[in-house]
Amino acid sequence: MRCCCVVAFMLVACHGQPTSPRGGLEVTAAVAPSVFRVGEAVTVTVVVANRADEPRTIETSVCEPFQVTTTGGTVVGPAGRICTAMSVQKTLVPGEQFVFVTTWSGDARSAVPTSPPAFLAPGTYLVHGLAPLRTFRSAPVTIQVIP
C-alpha cells in the first residue's frame, strides 16, 4: 500500500513539469538542404514551442540542439565539440517558441575525441531536434548524404 501511495504521489508531482512527456513542449526539426554532398554545410533548425497553458522553462545553451542517427537508431553525429557548461534558461509563455539555428557540415562522431575530423558516409540518416537537456526529441527528419 505504501508503494502505491509513493507512485501515485510521484505521478501527481511530475504531471505538467517540463521533463514530463506531457509537459506541453513541442520540438520540431528541419534541415536545408535535406540532400547534400559529403562535407557540404547545411542549416539545421530546431524549434521548441510551448503548447501548454502555462509558462515552461527550457535550456537555451545546448552545444548541439540535434543528433543524427542511422535509420537503425545508432547515433552517428554530429562530432563531439567542446562547449561551456553554462546554463542559460528561457521561459516560454504559452504559444511562444524558441528557435535554435546552427550550421553543420555532416561531421560524424568518432570513438576517440582526438581523432581527425570525419564525415558521414554517403547514405540515408535521421536528424532529431533535442531540447531541453535532451529530454524532448523531435520526430525524425530524413536526410540524404551523397558522394
Side-chain angles (χ1 to χ4, degrees):
M1 178 67 176
R2 182 178 291 170
C3 180
C4 290
C5 291
V6 170
V7 170
F9 172 76
M10 290 173 64
L11 288 173
V12 170
C14 292
H15 177 70
Q17 296 301 311
T19 56
S20 166
R22 289 182 255 179
L25 292 177
E26 177 184 76
V27 182
T28 57
V31 180
S34 61
V35 177
F36 57 95
R37 296 194 181 285
V38 173
E40 184 177 70
V42 297
T43 300
V44 179
T45 304
V46 176
V47 178
V48 180
N50 181 4
R51 302 291 182 224
D53 57 358
E54 57 189 50
R56 294 286 185 248
T57 302
I58 63 168
E59 298 295 323
T60 62
S61 57
V62 295
C63 292
E64 293 294 348
F66 69 98
Q67 69 180 189
V68 181
T69 66
T70 63
T71 54
T74 303
V75 177
V76 294
R81 291 177 180 34
I82 297 173
C83 65
T84 66
M86 189 172 117
S87 175
V88 178
Q89 294 187 336
K90 164 84 173 143
T91 299
L92 301 176
V93 298
E96 186 178 12
Q97 61 185 23
F98 185 82
V99 180
F100 297 88
V101 179
T102 189
T103 302
W104 176 59
S105 61
D107 52 87
R109 288 192 174 179
S110 70
V112 181
T114 56
S115 296
F119 293 94
L120 295 177
T124 301
Y125 299 92
L126 302 175
V127 175
H128 302 267
L130 304 172
L133 296 176
R134 302 178 187 270
T135 304
F136 293 92
R137 198 166 123 159
S138 73
V141 174
T142 302
I143 61 170
Q144 182 74 37
V145 178
I146 57 177

